[in-house]
């Protein structure tokens, strides 16, 4: 008697990232929304803030709620170019639904923009939970399909030092608590920067205090691991800025040169030589790209990004007149 043909096999479960620390309330909130089928859920934030790790952590906790399986697909290729829809469809086809009548969790990681997300929507299976991570807010996706957007910020001060302890040993953090706190602040509480700093501490004979003194001289360049371009803060920030349209790159470069905190609308308009309503649109787009924070109409730039932009201004990138560039590019605001 011949064996029955095997049915579709569910993709492997998504494992929680090693050393994941903190964000308990956010993890619980995301898991609850995914279970409740409340629409598309977007995790947005600066590259290096831990969106992918957060998505993996949540996926590992809700595995039992998605009997048809979980699938995580990167939305950019190895060169950083957006994944085409034919490639995405091919990847989805590799994992046919193991339980057609049941829900699956689909995670699309590092979505390039609203247009790419919308183009992928016809490939989503109705009833499945869809989680998108992106540098951009993807508000247009949620406006069309319903759902929720979570802006992922850096870790809390307590979670940052806990992460350092997890990575380099709690005894070292306890031996130099002030230096550990200073190191976390120097890293902007970004998980990527903290992991880079911890790896350097594990490969060099240095104290936390000595590491802080050395990094403080040039954190943007020195928060990097030799031989691994992906583990370099400068590269991640380069990527974040270069994903903008050229007029917005020019605008953020100019704003990074100013000691403006918060970024006052009238002052920004004067610095960029544009009308106030154009300045407001520029700030709104930079906030959507996670390059500045916005709260109740007040805009602020994180310290690490400001340091990066000052380095870019010092000869690494050309600056053109923002108003001229906005007009010449044909970009509409």
């Amino acid at each position: 008697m011949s064996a029955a043909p095997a049915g579709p096999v569910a993709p492997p479960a998504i494992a929680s990232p090693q050393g994941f620390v903190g964000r308990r309330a956010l993890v619980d909130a995301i898991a609850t929304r995914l279970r409740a089928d409340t629409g598309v859920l977007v995790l947005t934030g600066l590259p290096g803030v831990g969106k992918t790790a957060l998505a993996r952590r949540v996926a590992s906790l809700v595995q039992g709620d998605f009997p048809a399986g979980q699938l995580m697909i990167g939305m950019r290729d190895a060169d950083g170019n957006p994944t085409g829809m034919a490639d995405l469809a091919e990847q989805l086809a590799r994992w046919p639904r193991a339980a057609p009548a049941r829900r699956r969790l689909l995670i699309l990681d590092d979505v390039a923009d609203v247009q790419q997300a919308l183009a992928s929507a016809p490939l989503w299976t109705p009833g499945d939970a869809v989680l998108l991570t992106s540098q951009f807010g993807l508000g247009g996706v949620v406006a069309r399909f319903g759902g929720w957007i979570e802006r992922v910020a850096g870790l809390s001060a307590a979670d940052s030092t806990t992460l350092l302890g997890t990575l380099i040993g709690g005894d070292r953090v306890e031996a130099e608590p002030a230096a550990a706190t200073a190191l976390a602040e120097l890293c902007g509480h970004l998980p990527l920067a903290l992991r880079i700093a911890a790896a350097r501490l594990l490969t060099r004979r240095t104290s936390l205090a000595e590491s802080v003194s050395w990094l403080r001289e040039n954190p943007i360049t020195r928060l990097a691991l030799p031989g691994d371009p992906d583990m370099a803060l400068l590269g991640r920030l380069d990527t974040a800025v270069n994903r903008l349209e050229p007029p917005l790159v020019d605008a953020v470069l100019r704003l990074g040169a100013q000691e403006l905190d918060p970024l006052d609308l009238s002052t920004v308009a004067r610095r960029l030589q544009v009308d106030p309503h154009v300045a407001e649109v520029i700030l709104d787009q930079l906030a959507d790209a996670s390059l500045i924070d916005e709260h109740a109409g007040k805009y602020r730039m994180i310290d690490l990004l400001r340091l990066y932009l000052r380095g870019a201004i010092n000869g690494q990138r050309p600056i053109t007149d923002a108003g001229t560039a906005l007009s010449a590019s044909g970009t509409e605001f």
Side-chain angles (χ1 to χ4, degrees):
M1 186 174 177
S2 61
V9 178
I14 298 171
S16 178
Q18 291 187 346
F20 186 89
V21 167
R23 306 195 194 274
R24 181 172 299 178
L26 183 55
V27 167
D28 291 344
I30 296 169
T32 297
R33 291 188 181 280
L34 290 176
R35 293 185 182 112
D37 189 20
T38 54
V40 180
L41 202 152
V42 177
L43 302 182
T44 181
L46 191 70
V49 81
K51 301 183 297 297
T52 301
L54 177 59
R56 295 182 68 91
R57 174 63 172 171
V58 173
S60 72
L61 296 178
V62 300
Q63 179 183 351
D65 298 281
F66 297 95
Q70 302 174 328
L71 190 58
M72 188 170 192
I73 297 177
M75 295 298 283
R76 294 181 184 271
D77 62 21
D79 296 323
N81 301 311
T83 298
M85 290 307 103
D87 289 340
L88 178 59
E90 181 181 347
Q91 292 186 65
L92 287 169
R94 292 175 191 167
W95 298 103
R97 298 173 62 83
R102 298 181 179 182
R103 296 182 76 205
R104 177 173 59 180
L105 172 60
L106 174 63
I107 301 176
L108 301 183
D109 188 40
D110 199 13
V111 174
D113 51 30
V114 169
Q115 287 70 35
Q116 188 192 39
L118 293 177
S120 73
L123 301 175
W124 308 345
T125 301
D128 283 353
V130 179
L131 175 61
L132 311 177
T133 77
S134 178
Q135 176 184 336
F136 300 91
L138 306 185
V141 179
V142 172
R144 288 174 171 85
F145 297 100
W148 196 258
I149 301 172
E150 291 283 0
R151 185 162 293 281
V152 183
L155 296 173
S156 68
D159 286 341
S160 293
T161 53
T162 298
L163 178 58
L164 282 174
T166 300
L167 297 171
I168 67 174
D171 55 335
R172 295 187 68 178
V173 171
E174 292 172 4
E176 298 183 82
T181 298
L183 181 58
E185 292 176 354
L186 190 59
C187 290
H189 302 289
L190 291 178
L192 172 73
L194 288 162
R195 289 181 178 277
I196 292 170
R200 294 194 67 91
L201 283 164
L202 292 174
T203 56
R204 287 160 177 79
R205 296 179 182 272
T206 182
S207 67
L208 268 68
E210 291 168 335
S211 180
V212 167
S213 295
W214 180 75
L215 283 174
R216 186 171 280 128
E217 295 176 0
N218 192 351
I220 301 302
T221 299
R222 291 181 175 177
L223 280 168
L225 298 179
D228 190 348
D230 196 46
M231 295 297 285
L233 183 61
L234 176 60
R236 293 294 186 95
L237 294 176
D238 264 339
T239 296
V241 172
N242 283 328
R243 286 175 175 175
L244 301 174
E245 293 296 323
L248 289 175
V249 174
D250 292 328
V252 76
L253 283 168
R254 283 188 174 275
L255 295 178
Q258 312 301 323
E259 290 289 348
L260 301 177
D261 187 26
L263 293 167
D264 175 77
L265 183 60
S266 60
T267 305
V268 168
R270 187 166 58 254
R271 298 289 187 184
L272 299 183
Q273 299 179 343
V274 295
D275 292 335
H277 75 277
V278 175
E280 186 172 22
V281 171
I282 291 171
L283 289 171
D284 190 51
Q285 293 198 19
L286 293 178
D288 186 69
S290 304
L291 293 178
I292 58 176
D293 292 328
E294 185 271 335
H295 179 70
K298 301 291 185 181
Y299 298 90
R300 282 184 166 85
M301 186 173 292
I302 65 171
D303 291 340
L304 279 179
L305 182 61
R306 193 181 296 279
L307 285 174
Y308 161 81
L309 292 170
R310 286 176 180 170
I313 288 167
N314 291 331
Q316 294 186 23
R317 295 180 188 277
I319 299 177
T320 60
D321 177 78
T324 301
L326 290 167
S327 301
S329 69
T331 300
E332 296 182 1
F333 293 97

